[in-house]
mmCIF file of all heavy atoms in Angstrom:
data_model
loop_
_atom_site.group_PDB
_atom_site.id
_atom_site.type_symbol
_atom_site.label_atom_id
_atom_site.label_comp_id
_atom_site.label_asym_id
_atom_site.label_seq_id
_atom_site.Cartn_x
_atom_site.Cartn_y
_atom_site.Cartn_z
ATOM 1 N N PRO W 1 17.102 35.017 6.825
ATOM 2 C CA PRO W 1 16.037 35.112 7.818
ATOM 3 C C PRO W 1 16.405 36.098 8.924
ATOM 4 O O PRO W 1 17.574 36.309 9.224
ATOM 5 C CB PRO W 1 15.894 33.693 8.353
ATOM 6 C CG PRO W 1 17.130 32.982 7.979
ATOM 7 C CD PRO W 1 17.698 33.697 6.795
ATOM 8 N N ALA W 2 15.367 36.631 9.485
ATOM 9 C CA ALA W 2 15.583 37.529 10.617
ATOM 10 C C ALA W 2 16.153 36.738 11.782
ATOM 11 O O ALA W 2 15.979 35.529 11.863
ATOM 12 C CB ALA W 2 14.270 38.203 11.013
ATOM 13 N N THR W 3 16.801 37.418 12.649
ATOM 14 C CA THR W 3 17.493 36.738 13.727
ATOM 15 C C THR W 3 16.558 36.018 14.683
ATOM 16 O O THR W 3 16.928 35.029 15.287
ATOM 17 C CB THR W 3 18.340 37.750 14.536
ATOM 18 O OG1 THR W 3 17.506 38.815 14.929
ATOM 19 C CG2 THR W 3 19.516 38.201 13.747
ATOM 20 N N GLY W 4 15.324 36.351 14.780
ATOM 21 C CA GLY W 4 14.426 35.698 15.724
ATOM 22 C C GLY W 4 13.641 34.547 15.082
ATOM 23 O O GLY W 4 12.873 33.868 15.743
ATOM 24 N N GLN W 5 13.797 34.326 13.779
ATOM 25 C CA GLN W 5 13.019 33.286 13.102
ATOM 26 C C GLN W 5 13.876 32.056 12.845
ATOM 27 O O GLN W 5 15.047 32.169 12.518
ATOM 28 C CB GLN W 5 12.504 33.818 11.768
ATOM 29 C CG GLN W 5 11.531 34.959 11.921
ATOM 30 C CD GLN W 5 11.097 35.465 10.555
ATOM 31 O OE1 GLN W 5 11.707 35.137 9.558
ATOM 32 N NE2 GLN W 5 10.049 36.256 10.534
ATOM 33 N N ALA W 6 13.227 30.873 12.964
ATOM 34 C CA ALA W 6 13.941 29.618 12.706
ATOM 35 C C ALA W 6 13.625 29.156 11.286
ATOM 36 O O ALA W 6 12.531 29.379 10.778
ATOM 37 C CB ALA W 6 13.511 28.547 13.695
ATOM 38 N N THR W 7 14.587 28.540 10.672
ATOM 39 C CA THR W 7 14.338 28.003 9.327
ATOM 40 C C THR W 7 13.520 26.711 9.469
ATOM 41 O O THR W 7 13.755 25.918 10.383
ATOM 42 C CB THR W 7 15.660 27.700 8.592
ATOM 43 O OG1 THR W 7 16.393 26.791 9.360
ATOM 44 C CG2 THR W 7 16.433 28.945 8.334
ATOM 45 N N PRO W 8 12.544 26.526 8.598
ATOM 46 C CA PRO W 8 11.754 25.295 8.706
ATOM 47 C C PRO W 8 12.628 24.083 8.408
ATOM 48 O O PRO W 8 13.370 24.067 7.427
ATOM 49 C CB PRO W 8 10.656 25.465 7.672
ATOM 50 C CG PRO W 8 11.110 26.553 6.761
ATOM 51 C CD PRO W 8 12.126 27.357 7.493
ATOM 52 N N ALA W 9 12.554 23.090 9.270
ATOM 53 C CA ALA W 9 13.370 21.879 9.103
ATOM 54 C C ALA W 9 12.601 20.879 8.234
ATOM 55 O O ALA W 9 11.418 20.654 8.433
ATOM 56 C CB ALA W 9 13.676 21.253 10.455
ATOM 57 N N THR W 10 13.263 20.297 7.275
ATOM 58 C CA THR W 10 12.638 19.258 6.446
ATOM 59 C C THR W 10 12.985 17.914 7.050
ATOM 60 O O THR W 10 14.140 17.600 7.299
ATOM 61 C CB THR W 10 13.138 19.327 4.994
ATOM 62 O OG1 THR W 10 14.538 19.225 5.002
ATOM 63 C CG2 THR W 10 12.701 20.614 4.329
ATOM 64 N N VAL W 11 11.932 17.108 7.278
ATOM 65 C CA VAL W 11 12.122 15.791 7.872
ATOM 66 C C VAL W 11 12.204 14.783 6.729
ATOM 67 O O VAL W 11 11.309 14.721 5.878
ATOM 68 C CB VAL W 11 10.955 15.454 8.817
ATOM 69 C CG1 VAL W 11 11.103 14.069 9.403
ATOM 70 C CG2 VAL W 11 10.832 16.520 9.887
ATOM 71 N N PRO W 12 13.267 14.014 6.673
ATOM 72 C CA PRO W 12 13.357 13.018 5.583
ATOM 73 C C PRO W 12 12.273 11.957 5.767
ATOM 74 O O PRO W 12 11.905 11.631 6.897
ATOM 75 C CB PRO W 12 14.757 12.432 5.722
ATOM 76 C CG PRO W 12 15.149 12.707 7.137
ATOM 77 C CD PRO W 12 14.403 13.948 7.555
ATOM 78 N N PRO W 13 11.720 11.424 4.665
ATOM 79 C CA PRO W 13 10.684 10.398 4.807
ATOM 80 C C PRO W 13 11.258 9.133 5.454
ATOM 81 O O PRO W 13 12.433 8.802 5.285
ATOM 82 C CB PRO W 13 10.244 10.121 3.368
ATOM 83 C CG PRO W 13 11.356 10.606 2.509
ATOM 84 C CD PRO W 13 12.052 11.691 3.289
ATOM 85 N N ALA W 14 10.402 8.444 6.184
ATOM 86 C CA ALA W 14 10.837 7.219 6.855
ATOM 87 C C ALA W 14 11.088 6.140 5.801
ATOM 88 O O ALA W 14 10.357 6.033 4.810
ATOM 89 C CB ALA W 14 9.757 6.740 7.826
ATOM 90 N N PRO W 15 12.112 5.329 5.996
ATOM 91 C CA PRO W 15 12.376 4.277 5.013
ATOM 92 C C PRO W 15 11.227 3.260 5.040
ATOM 93 O O PRO W 15 10.639 2.991 6.089
ATOM 94 C CB PRO W 15 13.688 3.656 5.485
ATOM 95 C CG PRO W 15 13.798 4.026 6.930
ATOM 96 C CD PRO W 15 13.049 5.309 7.094
ATOM 97 N N PRO W 16 10.888 2.699 3.867
ATOM 98 C CA PRO W 16 9.785 1.734 3.837
ATOM 99 C C PRO W 16 10.167 0.476 4.622
ATOM 100 O O PRO W 16 11.308 0.022 4.589
ATOM 101 C CB PRO W 16 9.616 1.423 2.347
ATOM 102 C CG PRO W 16 10.907 1.809 1.713
ATOM 103 C CD PRO W 16 11.499 2.895 2.567
ATOM 104 N N THR W 17 9.189 -0.069 5.318
ATOM 105 C CA THR W 17 9.438 -1.297 6.075
ATOM 106 C C THR W 17 8.968 -2.477 5.237
ATOM 107 O O THR W 17 7.964 -2.385 4.520
ATOM 108 C CB THR W 17 8.692 -1.285 7.413
ATOM 109 O OG1 THR W 17 7.302 -1.139 7.160
ATOM 110 C CG2 THR W 17 9.168 -0.151 8.298
ATOM 111 N N ALA W 18 9.681 -3.546 5.320
ATOM 112 C CA ALA W 18 9.317 -4.744 4.567
ATOM 113 C C ALA W 18 8.082 -5.372 5.200
ATOM 114 O O ALA W 18 7.940 -5.407 6.423
ATOM 115 C CB ALA W 18 10.475 -5.735 4.574
ATOM 116 N N LEU W 19 7.179 -5.860 4.327
ATOM 117 C CA LEU W 19 5.971 -6.514 4.816
ATOM 118 C C LEU W 19 6.300 -7.934 5.256
ATOM 119 O O LEU W 19 7.123 -8.609 4.654
ATOM 120 C CB LEU W 19 4.909 -6.556 3.721
ATOM 121 C CG LEU W 19 4.391 -5.211 3.218
ATOM 122 C CD1 LEU W 19 3.432 -5.418 2.050
ATOM 123 C CD2 LEU W 19 3.706 -4.450 4.334
ATOM 124 N N SER W 20 5.605 -8.372 6.260
ATOM 125 C CA SER W 20 5.798 -9.750 6.708
ATOM 126 C C SER W 20 5.084 -10.680 5.732
ATOM 127 O O SER W 20 4.284 -10.244 4.892
ATOM 128 C CB SER W 20 5.233 -9.943 8.122
ATOM 129 O OG SER W 20 3.824 -9.840 8.089
ATOM 130 N N LEU W 21 5.343 -11.956 5.851
ATOM 131 C CA LEU W 21 4.715 -12.933 4.974
ATOM 132 C C LEU W 21 3.192 -12.880 5.106
ATOM 133 O O LEU W 21 2.471 -12.903 4.112
ATOM 134 C CB LEU W 21 5.226 -14.345 5.293
ATOM 135 C CG LEU W 21 4.569 -15.477 4.508
ATOM 136 C CD1 LEU W 21 4.822 -15.313 3.019
ATOM 137 C CD2 LEU W 21 5.069 -16.819 4.981
ATOM 138 N N GLU W 22 2.695 -12.784 6.331
ATOM 139 C CA GLU W 22 1.258 -12.731 6.554
ATOM 140 C C GLU W 22 0.648 -11.500 5.908
ATOM 141 O O GLU W 22 -0.424 -11.564 5.290
ATOM 142 C CB GLU W 22 0.938 -12.760 8.058
ATOM 143 C CG GLU W 22 1.226 -14.080 8.734
ATOM 144 C CD GLU W 22 2.704 -14.275 9.061
ATOM 145 O OE1 GLU W 22 3.469 -13.280 9.092
ATOM 146 O OE2 GLU W 22 3.104 -15.426 9.266
ATOM 147 N N GLU W 23 1.310 -10.359 6.019
ATOM 148 C CA GLU W 23 0.800 -9.131 5.410
ATOM 149 C C GLU W 23 0.784 -9.232 3.886
ATOM 150 O O GLU W 23 -0.151 -8.787 3.239
ATOM 151 C CB GLU W 23 1.652 -7.940 5.855
ATOM 152 C CG GLU W 23 1.494 -7.604 7.330
ATOM 153 C CD GLU W 23 2.516 -6.602 7.820
ATOM 154 O OE1 GLU W 23 3.676 -6.621 7.338
ATOM 155 O OE2 GLU W 23 2.169 -5.802 8.710
ATOM 156 N N ARG W 24 1.830 -9.838 3.321
ATOM 157 C CA ARG W 24 1.859 -10.021 1.862
ATOM 158 C C ARG W 24 0.753 -10.963 1.404
ATOM 159 O O ARG W 24 0.123 -10.752 0.370
ATOM 160 C CB ARG W 24 3.218 -10.541 1.411
ATOM 161 C CG ARG W 24 4.309 -9.483 1.487
ATOM 162 C CD ARG W 24 5.606 -9.984 0.962
ATOM 163 N NE ARG W 24 6.027 -11.097 1.828
ATOM 164 C CZ ARG W 24 7.118 -11.796 1.688
ATOM 165 N NH1 ARG W 24 7.930 -11.554 0.700
ATOM 166 N NH2 ARG W 24 7.423 -12.766 2.514
ATOM 167 N N LEU W 25 0.503 -12.036 2.190
ATOM 168 C CA LEU W 25 -0.572 -12.971 1.834
ATOM 169 C C LEU W 25 -1.934 -12.292 1.892
ATOM 170 O O LEU W 25 -2.778 -12.498 1.017
ATOM 171 C CB LEU W 25 -0.535 -14.188 2.759
ATOM 172 C CG LEU W 25 0.617 -15.165 2.523
ATOM 173 C CD1 LEU W 25 0.622 -16.235 3.610
ATOM 174 C CD2 LEU W 25 0.518 -15.801 1.154
ATOM 175 N N VAL W 26 -2.164 -11.475 2.909
ATOM 176 C CA VAL W 26 -3.436 -10.758 3.024
ATOM 177 C C VAL W 26 -3.587 -9.791 1.853
ATOM 178 O O VAL W 26 -4.660 -9.695 1.244
ATOM 179 C CB VAL W 26 -3.522 -10.024 4.379
ATOM 180 C CG1 VAL W 26 -4.675 -9.042 4.405
ATOM 181 C CG2 VAL W 26 -3.649 -11.020 5.514
ATOM 182 N N LEU W 27 -2.523 -9.094 1.514
ATOM 183 C CA LEU W 27 -2.560 -8.153 0.400
ATOM 184 C C LEU W 27 -2.828 -8.882 -0.922
ATOM 185 O O LEU W 27 -3.682 -8.460 -1.721
ATOM 186 C CB LEU W 27 -1.227 -7.395 0.327
ATOM 187 C CG LEU W 27 -1.129 -6.304 -0.734
ATOM 188 C CD1 LEU W 27 -2.140 -5.208 -0.456
ATOM 189 C CD2 LEU W 27 0.283 -5.728 -0.772
ATOM 190 N N THR W 28 -2.160 -9.986 -1.141
ATOM 191 C CA THR W 28 -2.370 -10.769 -2.366
ATOM 192 C C THR W 28 -3.779 -11.335 -2.412
ATOM 193 O O THR W 28 -4.438 -11.317 -3.458
ATOM 194 C CB THR W 28 -1.333 -11.903 -2.452
ATOM 195 O OG1 THR W 28 -0.032 -11.336 -2.429
ATOM 196 C CG2 THR W 28 -1.500 -12.706 -3.729
ATOM 197 N N ASN W 29 -4.277 -11.835 -1.286
ATOM 198 C CA ASN W 29 -5.637 -12.371 -1.220
ATOM 199 C C ASN W 29 -6.660 -11.289 -1.567
ATOM 200 O O ASN W 29 -7.601 -11.525 -2.326
ATOM 201 C CB ASN W 29 -5.911 -12.945 0.168
ATOM 202 C CG ASN W 29 -7.262 -13.614 0.255
ATOM 203 O OD1 ASN W 29 -7.772 -14.142 -0.733
ATOM 204 N ND2 ASN W 29 -7.852 -13.589 1.431
ATOM 205 N N THR W 30 -6.468 -10.099 -1.026
ATOM 206 C CA THR W 30 -7.379 -8.991 -1.307
ATOM 207 C C THR W 30 -7.347 -8.630 -2.794
ATOM 208 O O THR W 30 -8.388 -8.435 -3.417
ATOM 209 C CB THR W 30 -6.998 -7.766 -0.451
ATOM 210 O OG1 THR W 30 -6.998 -8.147 0.923
ATOM 211 C CG2 THR W 30 -7.959 -6.622 -0.670
ATOM 212 N N GLU W 31 -6.149 -8.573 -3.355
ATOM 213 C CA GLU W 31 -6.004 -8.234 -4.771
ATOM 214 C C GLU W 31 -6.638 -9.302 -5.666
ATOM 215 O O GLU W 31 -7.343 -8.981 -6.622
ATOM 216 C CB GLU W 31 -4.527 -8.074 -5.116
ATOM 217 C CG GLU W 31 -4.294 -7.657 -6.553
ATOM 218 C CD GLU W 31 -2.814 -7.497 -6.860
ATOM 219 O OE1 GLU W 31 -2.020 -7.301 -5.937
ATOM 220 O OE2 GLU W 31 -2.470 -7.585 -8.042
ATOM 221 N N MET W 32 -6.438 -10.574 -5.350
ATOM 222 C CA MET W 32 -7.009 -11.658 -6.158
ATOM 223 C C MET W 32 -8.530 -11.692 -6.029
ATOM 224 O O MET W 32 -9.240 -11.948 -7.007
ATOM 225 C CB MET W 32 -6.404 -13.005 -5.754
ATOM 226 C CG MET W 32 -4.943 -13.156 -6.141
ATOM 227 S SD MET W 32 -4.585 -12.837 -7.873
ATOM 228 C CE MET W 32 -5.531 -14.102 -8.671
ATOM 229 N N THR W 33 -9.050 -11.435 -4.840
ATOM 230 C CA THR W 33 -10.500 -11.389 -4.655
ATOM 231 C C THR W 33 -11.107 -10.286 -5.506
ATOM 232 O O THR W 33 -12.137 -10.489 -6.161
ATOM 233 C CB THR W 33 -10.846 -11.179 -3.162
ATOM 234 O OG1 THR W 33 -10.279 -12.249 -2.406
ATOM 235 C CG2 THR W 33 -12.347 -11.130 -2.943
ATOM 236 N N THR W 34 -10.456 -9.144 -5.542
ATOM 237 C CA THR W 34 -10.928 -8.039 -6.373
ATOM 238 C C THR W 34 -10.905 -8.431 -7.842
ATOM 239 O O THR W 34 -11.873 -8.196 -8.576
ATOM 240 C CB THR W 34 -10.052 -6.785 -6.142
ATOM 241 O OG1 THR W 34 -10.085 -6.456 -4.755
ATOM 242 C CG2 THR W 34 -10.543 -5.620 -6.970
ATOM 243 N N ARG W 35 -9.825 -9.037 -8.303
ATOM 244 C CA ARG W 35 -9.731 -9.472 -9.704
ATOM 245 C C ARG W 35 -10.804 -10.500 -10.051
ATOM 246 O O ARG W 35 -11.414 -10.450 -11.111
ATOM 247 C CB ARG W 35 -8.353 -10.066 -9.988
ATOM 248 C CG ARG W 35 -7.255 -9.050 -10.072
ATOM 249 C CD ARG W 35 -5.957 -9.722 -10.435
ATOM 250 N NE ARG W 35 -4.855 -8.801 -10.490
ATOM 251 C CZ ARG W 35 -3.633 -9.133 -10.825
ATOM 252 N NH1 ARG W 35 -3.344 -10.376 -11.141
ATOM 253 N NH2 ARG W 35 -2.678 -8.228 -10.845
ATOM 254 N N LEU W 36 -11.032 -11.468 -9.147
ATOM 255 C CA LEU W 36 -12.047 -12.488 -9.399
ATOM 256 C C LEU W 36 -13.447 -11.891 -9.429
ATOM 257 O O LEU W 36 -14.285 -12.288 -10.236
ATOM 258 C CB LEU W 36 -11.950 -13.606 -8.356
ATOM 259 C CG LEU W 36 -10.734 -14.518 -8.484
ATOM 260 C CD1 LEU W 36 -10.644 -15.439 -7.279
ATOM 261 C CD2 LEU W 36 -10.802 -15.321 -9.763
ATOM 262 N N ASP W 37 -13.702 -10.930 -8.550
ATOM 263 C CA ASP W 37 -15.002 -10.262 -8.557
ATOM 264 C C ASP W 37 -15.212 -9.501 -9.865
ATOM 265 O O ASP W 37 -16.297 -9.547 -10.458
ATOM 266 C CB ASP W 37 -15.122 -9.309 -7.369
ATOM 267 C CG ASP W 37 -15.272 -10.033 -6.031
ATOM 268 O OD1 ASP W 37 -15.599 -11.241 -6.054
ATOM 269 O OD2 ASP W 37 -15.052 -9.391 -4.986
ATOM 270 N N GLU W 38 -14.178 -8.815 -10.335
ATOM 271 C CA GLU W 38 -14.277 -8.097 -11.607
ATOM 272 C C GLU W 38 -14.481 -9.059 -12.771
ATOM 273 O O GLU W 38 -15.290 -8.807 -13.663
ATOM 274 C CB GLU W 38 -13.015 -7.257 -11.835
ATOM 275 C CG GLU W 38 -12.888 -6.071 -10.920
ATOM 276 C CD GLU W 38 -11.553 -5.357 -11.036
ATOM 277 O OE1 GLU W 38 -10.670 -5.805 -11.810
ATOM 278 O OE2 GLU W 38 -11.385 -4.349 -10.339
ATOM 279 N N ALA W 39 -13.783 -10.200 -12.749
ATOM 280 C CA ALA W 39 -13.935 -11.190 -13.814
ATOM 281 C C ALA W 39 -15.332 -11.791 -13.786
ATOM 282 O O ALA W 39 -15.933 -12.047 -14.835
ATOM 283 C CB ALA W 39 -12.874 -12.282 -13.677
ATOM 284 N N SER W 40 -15.877 -12.010 -12.605
ATOM 285 C CA SER W 40 -17.228 -12.558 -12.477
ATOM 286 C C SER W 40 -18.258 -11.599 -13.053
ATOM 287 O O SER W 40 -19.160 -12.009 -13.777
ATOM 288 C CB SER W 40 -17.518 -12.841 -11.004
ATOM 289 O OG SER W 40 -18.844 -13.277 -10.853
ATOM 290 N N VAL W 41 -18.112 -10.335 -12.752
ATOM 291 C CA VAL W 41 -19.024 -9.335 -13.293
ATOM 292 C C VAL W 41 -18.882 -9.265 -14.813
ATOM 293 O O VAL W 41 -19.880 -9.228 -15.546
ATOM 294 C CB VAL W 41 -18.778 -7.952 -12.649
ATOM 295 C CG1 VAL W 41 -19.536 -6.864 -13.378
ATOM 296 C CG2 VAL W 41 -19.162 -7.980 -11.179
ATOM 297 N N ALA W 42 -17.655 -9.280 -15.319
ATOM 298 C CA ALA W 42 -17.435 -9.236 -16.765
ATOM 299 C C ALA W 42 -18.050 -10.448 -17.443
ATOM 300 O O ALA W 42 -18.666 -10.341 -18.512
ATOM 301 C CB ALA W 42 -15.938 -9.160 -17.069
ATOM 302 N N TYR W 43 -17.931 -11.623 -16.833
ATOM 303 C CA TYR W 43 -18.529 -12.841 -17.396
ATOM 304 C C TYR W 43 -20.048 -12.708 -17.452
ATOM 305 O O TYR W 43 -20.680 -13.043 -18.451
ATOM 306 C CB TYR W 43 -18.123 -14.057 -16.562
ATOM 307 C CG TYR W 43 -18.775 -15.328 -17.020
ATOM 308 C CD1 TYR W 43 -18.282 -16.033 -18.108
ATOM 309 C CD2 TYR W 43 -19.899 -15.823 -16.382
ATOM 310 C CE1 TYR W 43 -18.889 -17.194 -18.543
ATOM 311 C CE2 TYR W 43 -20.523 -16.982 -16.808
ATOM 312 C CZ TYR W 43 -20.009 -17.652 -17.895
ATOM 313 O OH TYR W 43 -20.619 -18.791 -18.328
ATOM 314 N N GLU W 44 -20.644 -12.237 -16.373
ATOM 315 C CA GLU W 44 -22.099 -12.068 -16.339
ATOM 316 C C GLU W 44 -22.555 -11.085 -17.408
ATOM 317 O O GLU W 44 -23.552 -11.320 -18.091
ATOM 318 C CB GLU W 44 -22.546 -11.581 -14.951
ATOM 319 C CG GLU W 44 -22.361 -12.588 -13.853
ATOM 320 C CD GLU W 44 -23.233 -13.829 -14.036
ATOM 321 O OE1 GLU W 44 -24.363 -13.702 -14.538
ATOM 322 O OE2 GLU W 44 -22.771 -14.923 -13.676
#
């Protein structure tokens, strides 16, 4: 690189944070609701 230019810095990705119990329950509830809705439509 030329002397006046900076090399682009690569930022490492942030480590994943663990979900709390409440967040996991909400995620599971959402996923199960979606599955049940799909099963209901398939049954109909």
Side-chain angles (χ1 to χ4, degrees):
T3 53
Q5 296 178 346
T7 58
T10 56
V11 178
T17 58
L19 297 175
S20 68
L21 176 62
E22 291 80 18
E23 291 169 326
R24 287 184 297 180
L25 288 174
V26 168
L27 184 63
T28 302
N29 185 30
T30 304
E31 183 180 338
M32 291 307 298
T33 301
T34 303
R35 287 183 182 182
L36 289 171
D37 288 343
E38 290 173 358
S40 176
V41 170
Y43 176 80
E44 292 295 325

